[in-house]
């Protein structure tokens, strides 16, 4: 009989626990509590009053709520609670920046979506959708009436079921849930703090599982020997050796890129003088040569730099106006076609335009990216780490998608590995740019596979070279996999400039002083304000060699010292055999001609007043994009669709529909 005491005790304990749970459930229901699954998400909250009270609600078809509500999906719980709730609660932000703590008032609960009505006419919609990969994702969007700027929604990880972590290598916020990575479709300010911001400019975001397998694994597309830098460097050196002689024949085939390739490589080899003597005497801008290549001292034409100073200023004005217009029109395809865009703007001090581009990047839906925009996105992602290391980086999710697009377009032939677009065409310039970006990104992040793929793409491009070193501009592929190179070709000297592997290639460079930048072939250039009236410029260039350096954005000054001595302005300095300079006040451009007695030369600029930096003000920030409604599909007016970046939107297929 004693043996039956323990089972009876266990049964009584179980019955008591069941009664407790039942009473709790009854009380939860009596107080109007609910928890309902809808399309993979769980919606919880409290009904207001009873059935009679619901019938008397002010909005027919809506369910009136009382207190906080929440939506759970993919390991995250989004809290629609007041300031006492998780992560500070739900806030409505008006156009003046005032924050109003809010609670949901009404709700419509559908099979695959839930709409919450908030104060001030704001609505937030949670909708479960099926992706092209047959995965379920959550689309969160907001309808913001006039006068409301944003909706700030807190979220937390569900205890013991999900882990939130910032992935430094990928540049995204990752959520690990049930063994699978989940991610937001775009960056949003505050994500790291557990807050999701929806604004009039960016009224929606998607959250869901990341694809488990990239269509093509980059590890399967590594060219032989490209796993490391040694074989890659040898291949590049061999290619340059084979083309250096071609560039030396510049008199027979005069082109600016050939002058640049010849000059930069000759400097690296220590024979600049012989290279410059190969360039025809009296070469001038009339022969298609301008300031980009004239930093090499081949021209002795007096007045050459006066003309070129005006040309530099005009080219800069056109470029800045173009970038400002692309930002204002939200033409992201054109914007990210510009090479190293953020770096270009930072060198010249246009921080306001950079801020506008960063803000615009938040509005780009990664799902709408095309391959053609991917190189610019990857470059901008890395530039953010250099220029705004402490800021949240909106390019992380975009760069993640860009790498997916590269992987999906990979094809291997007998000798090359190239990335093809959806129309089965490989743009060779784009492949080279992608190769450079992926190699750099892989080396920075420690991802050897992507670094090796970048080297493989570069190696494949130069291996396309013909007898004259040129490569086809495009390669088409037919349904049988056969490759058809275009007749139009890219000259080897142009390819050399794109490769950007030579430290003497002419380039724009920051000096270290805001608003003052240089066009130079020097290994490095640095400016320092030594005293209130003195600026010292340091140029690193091989001793015994001569070059020009263009300093832009410099206001009027009193004196220049070179080699420790005062040097007077010489308006015919092009023809002089010694170091010299000329200044063009109308464009605030100082042109230095420096004969190096040592590798590092100092040029001192002395002002009569504190150091003057003169630069045209940046264009005004672009106007904000028009507000959009969540009903607009991704890539509609709210997404800023432009040719070359975003695909036309098509309704998703599957059970959830649109």
């Amino acid at each position: 009989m004693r043996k039956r005491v323990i089972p009876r005790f266990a049964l009584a304990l179980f019955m008591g626990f069941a009664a407790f749970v039942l009473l709790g459930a009854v009380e939860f229901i009596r107080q109007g509590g609910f928890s309902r699954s809808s399309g993979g998400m769980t919606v919880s909250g409290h009904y207001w009053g009873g059935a009679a009270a619901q019938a008397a609600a002010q909005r027919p078809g809506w369910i009136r709520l009382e207190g906080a509500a929440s939506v759970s999906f993919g390991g995250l719980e989004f809290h629609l609670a007041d300031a006492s709730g998780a992560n500070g609660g739900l806030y409505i932000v008006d156009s003046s920046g005032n924050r109003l703590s809010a609670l949901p008032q009404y709700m419509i609960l559908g099979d695959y979506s839930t709409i919450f009505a908030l104060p001030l006419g704001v609505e937030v919609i949670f909708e479960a959708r099926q992706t092209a990969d047959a995965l379920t994702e959550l689309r969160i969007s907001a309808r913001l009436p006039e006068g409301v700027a944003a909706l700030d929604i807190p979220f937390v990880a569900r205890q013991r079921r999900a882990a939130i972590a910032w992935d430094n290598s990928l540049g995204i916020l990752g959520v690990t849930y049930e063994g699978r990575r989940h991610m937001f479709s775009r960056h949003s300010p505050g994500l790291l703090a557990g807050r999701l911001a929806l604004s009039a400019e960016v009224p929606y975001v998607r959250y869901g599982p990341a694809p488990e397998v990239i269509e093509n694994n980059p590890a399967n597309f590594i060219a032989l020997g490209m796993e490391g830098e040694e074989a890659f460097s040898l291949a590049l050196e061999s290619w340059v050796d084979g083309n250096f002689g071609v560039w030396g024949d510049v008199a027979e085939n005069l082109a600016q890129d050939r002058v640049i390739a010849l000059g930069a490589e000759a400097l690296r080899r220590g024979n600049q003088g012989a290279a410059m003597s190969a360039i025809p005497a009296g070469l001038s801008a009339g022969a298609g040569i301008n300031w980009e290549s004239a930093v090499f001292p081949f021209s002795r034409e007096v007045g050459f730099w006066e003309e070129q100073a005006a040309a530099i200023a005009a080219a800069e004005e056109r470029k800045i106006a173009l970038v400002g217009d692309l930002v204002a029109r939200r033409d992201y395809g054109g914007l990210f076609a510009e090479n190293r865009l953020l770096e270009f703007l930072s060198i010249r001090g246009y921080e306001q335009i950079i801020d506008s581009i960063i803000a615009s990047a938040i509005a780009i839906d990664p799902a709408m990216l095309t391959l053609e925009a991917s190189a610019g996105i990857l470059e901008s992602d890395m530039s953010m780490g250099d220029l705004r290391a402490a800021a949240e980086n909106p390019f992380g999710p975009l760069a993640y998608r860009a790498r997916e697009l590269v992987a999906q377009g990979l094809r291997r032939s007998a000798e090359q590995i190239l990335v093809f677009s959806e129309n089965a065409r490989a743009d060779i310039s784009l492949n080279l740019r992608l190769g450079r970006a992926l190699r750099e990104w892989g080396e920075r992040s420690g991802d050897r596979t992507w670094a090796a793929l970048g080297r493989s793409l570069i190696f494949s491009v130069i291996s396309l070279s013909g007898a004259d070193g040129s490569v086809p501009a495009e390669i088409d592929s037919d349904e049988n996999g056969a490759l058809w190179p275009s007749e139009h070709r890219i000259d080897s000297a142009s390819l050399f400039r794109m490769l950007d592997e030579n430290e003497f290639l002419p380039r724009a460079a920051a000096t270290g002083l805001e608003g003052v930048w240089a066009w130079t072939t020097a290994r490095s250039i640095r400016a320092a304000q030594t005293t209130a009236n003195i600026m010292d410029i340091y140029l690193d260039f091989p001793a015994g060699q001569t070059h020009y350096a263009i300093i832009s954005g410099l206001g009027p000054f009193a004196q220049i010292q070179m080699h420790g001595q005062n040097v007077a302005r010489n308006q015919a300095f092009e023809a002089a055999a010694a170091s010299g300079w000329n200044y063009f006040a109308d464009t605030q451009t100082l042109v230095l001609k420096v004969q190096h007695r040592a590798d590092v030369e100092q040029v001192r600029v002395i002002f009569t007043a504190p150091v003057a930096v003169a630069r045209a003000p940046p264009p005004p920030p672009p106007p904000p994009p028009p507000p959009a409604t969540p009903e607009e599909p991704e890539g509609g007016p709210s997404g800023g669709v432009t040719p070359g970046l975003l695909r036309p939107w098509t309704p998703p297929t599957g059970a959830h529909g649109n």
Side-chain angles (χ1 to χ4, degrees):
M1 294 293 292
R2 294 175 61 88
K3 295 182 179 179
R4 299 176 62 182
V5 173
I6 294 177
R8 286 178 179 178
F9 176 76
L11 179 62
L13 184 64
F14 173 78
M15 293 297 291
F17 177 76
F20 174 79
V21 172
L22 180 61
L23 287 172
V26 170
E27 180 65 15
F28 180 73
I29 295 171
R30 187 180 69 80
Q31 294 183 0
F34 68 89
S35 181
R36 177 177 170 181
S37 294
S38 174
M41 59 181 167
T42 300
V43 182
S44 302
H46 288 81
Y47 297 121
W48 176 77
Q54 288 296 328
Q58 299 297 313
R59 300 182 67 170
W62 290 75
I63 300 171
R64 188 169 179 181
L65 300 175
E66 182 175 11
S70 67
V71 176
S72 300
F73 181 89
L76 293 185
E77 190 169 358
F78 299 88
H79 283 283
L80 308 184
D82 59 19
S84 63
N87 284 0
L90 176 71
Y91 283 93
I92 296 172
V93 184
D94 68 18
S95 54
S96 298
N98 300 313
R99 294 169 65 84
L100 170 68
S101 178
L103 286 171
Q105 298 172 321
Y106 292 88
M107 172 185 72
I108 291 180
L109 186 62
D111 290 336
Y112 299 103
S113 64
T114 301
I115 305 174
F116 292 97
L118 306 174
L120 305 182
V122 175
E123 294 178 0
V124 58
I125 303 99
F126 294 85
E127 181 182 5
R129 290 184 167 193
Q130 191 176 48
T131 69
D133 300 319
L135 302 173
T136 300
E137 66 180 12
L138 184 67
R139 186 180 193 266
I140 310 166
S141 57
R143 295 190 181 103
L144 304 178
E146 186 176 355
V148 176
L151 182 63
D152 195 357
I153 306 171
F155 63 86
V156 296
R158 301 181 69 179
Q159 284 188 337
R160 297 186 301 275
R161 300 191 65 188
I164 301 177
W166 181 259
D167 191 320
N168 287 318
S169 63
L170 297 178
I172 61 173
L173 183 74
V175 179
T176 303
Y177 175 64
E178 294 184 347
R180 182 158 192 171
R181 180 194 297 276
H182 289 61
M183 57 186 287
F184 287 94
S185 63
R186 58 164 65 97
H187 180 78
S188 172
L191 277 183
L192 291 177
R195 304 197 65 85
L196 173 64
L198 301 176
S199 66
E201 293 79 17
V202 191
Y204 71 91
V205 69
R206 300 193 318 278
Y207 171 74
E212 285 187 324
V213 180
I214 296 178
E215 185 175 336
N216 284 335
N217 187 343
N220 297 329
F221 292 85
I222 308 302
L224 183 63
M226 293 300 108
E227 296 84 357
E229 280 288 321
E230 184 177 359
F232 172 77
S233 297
L234 290 173
L236 203 59
E237 183 74 21
S238 175
W239 181 83
V240 172
D241 285 343
N243 286 284
F244 184 58
V246 175
W247 305 332
D249 195 19
V250 67
E252 297 297 324
N253 191 352
L254 184 61
Q256 175 144 281
D257 284 349
R258 290 206 170 192
V259 173
I260 288 174
L262 175 63
E265 185 58 21
L267 272 168
R268 189 182 73 84
R269 295 168 182 245
N271 58 353
Q272 183 193 33
M276 292 302 99
S277 65
I279 299 174
L283 188 63
S284 67
I289 304 299
N290 66 15
W291 47 274
E292 289 190 38
S293 59
V295 287
F296 299 115
F298 57 77
S299 178
R300 292 181 173 271
E301 180 185 354
V302 173
F304 176 85
W305 279 109
E306 181 176 8
E307 177 184 344
Q308 292 306 303
I312 295 167
E316 289 292 308
E317 288 178 6
R318 288 193 300 270
K319 181 66 172 282
I320 295 299
L322 170 65
V323 171
D325 179 62
L326 292 172
V327 174
R329 292 191 291 106
R330 305 175 78 197
D331 183 353
Y332 303 127
L335 197 64
F336 293 109
E338 298 294 328
N339 193 45
R340 296 192 172 268
L341 177 64
L342 298 189
E343 181 181 322
F344 170 90
L345 294 169
S346 178
I347 287 171
R348 292 153 176 84
Y350 289 103
E351 300 299 321
Q352 189 178 11
I353 302 180
I354 294 176
D355 290 339
S356 297
I357 293 173
I358 293 172
S360 298
I362 298 173
I364 302 173
D365 188 340
M368 302 299 164
L369 285 179
T370 60
L371 180 66
E372 289 70 23
S374 296
I377 292 292
L378 291 166
E379 292 165 354
S380 297
D381 179 44
M382 291 183 288
S383 291
M384 280 293 294
D386 296 332
L387 307 176
R388 305 286 179 88
E392 294 185 10
N393 182 2
F395 291 98
L398 300 175
Y400 183 89
R401 176 58 180 161
R403 291 189 294 274
E404 286 186 330
L405 290 172
V406 169
Q408 291 167 8
L410 285 170
R411 295 191 188 182
R412 180 192 288 272
S413 68
E415 298 178 354
Q416 282 87 31
I417 294 163
L418 296 171
V419 182
F420 286 77
S421 61
E422 289 183 333
N423 63 359
R425 173 169 294 173
D427 181 320
I428 300 305
S429 294
L430 177 61
N431 268 263
L432 186 58
R433 191 177 171 197
L434 285 169
R436 290 185 59 226
L438 291 171
R439 176 190 174 203
E440 182 180 351
W441 183 86
E443 290 172 349
R444 288 186 180 209
S445 65
D447 192 314
R448 296 181 179 180
T449 297
W450 284 106
L453 178 63
R455 289 189 288 267
S456 298
L457 292 176
I458 297 171
F459 174 74
S460 295
V461 168
I462 64 175
S463 68
L464 292 167
S465 298
D468 61 352
S470 67
V471 299
E474 295 175 334
I475 295 180
D476 290 320
S477 175
D478 62 22
E479 62 276 9
N480 298 318
L483 301 181
W484 303 92
S486 66
E487 293 184 2
H488 177 60
R489 300 185 71 83
I490 302 172
D491 187 79
S492 61
S494 301
L495 210 61
F496 180 75
R497 289 191 71 183
M498 294 180 200
L499 282 166
D500 196 21
E501 291 287 330
N502 184 299
E503 62 183 347
F504 295 110
L505 280 170
R507 70 199 182 284
T511 64
L513 292 181
E514 184 179 359
V516 180
W517 64 278
W519 182 264
T520 180
T521 185
R523 280 184 290 239
S524 68
I525 183 169
R526 179 175 61 87
Q529 186 175 341
T530 308
T531 70
N533 296 352
I534 293 177
M535 174 192 295
D536 286 326
I537 302 172
Y538 300 91
L539 302 110
D540 184 356
F541 196 74
Q545 306 294 340
T546 302
H547 68 109
Y548 289 95
I550 305 157
I551 313 298
S552 181
L554 198 62
F557 51 88
Q559 184 63 57
I560 293 282
Q561 291 182 350
M562 307 177 79
H563 312 301
Q565 298 179 343
N566 291 341
V567 178
R569 178 187 181 190
N570 182 358
Q571 293 179 307
F573 76 134
E574 295 97 337
S579 296
W581 61 274
N582 201 354
Y583 180 71
F584 308 99
D586 53 343
T587 59
Q588 289 92 40
T589 303
L590 169 66
V591 181
L592 299 169
K593 182 180 182 180
V594 187
Q595 288 186 343
H596 277 251
R597 299 174 183 177
D599 282 354
V600 178
E601 287 285 357
Q602 177 194 54
V603 176
R604 173 160 288 184
V605 185
I606 303 172
F607 299 82
T608 55
V611 173
V613 173
R615 177 171 65 86
T629 61
E631 289 90 353
E632 292 172 350
E634 294 92 339
S638 65
V641 173
T642 53
L645 175 68
L646 305 181
R647 294 189 179 89
W649 180 83
T650 54
T653 59
H656 304 311
N658 179 26

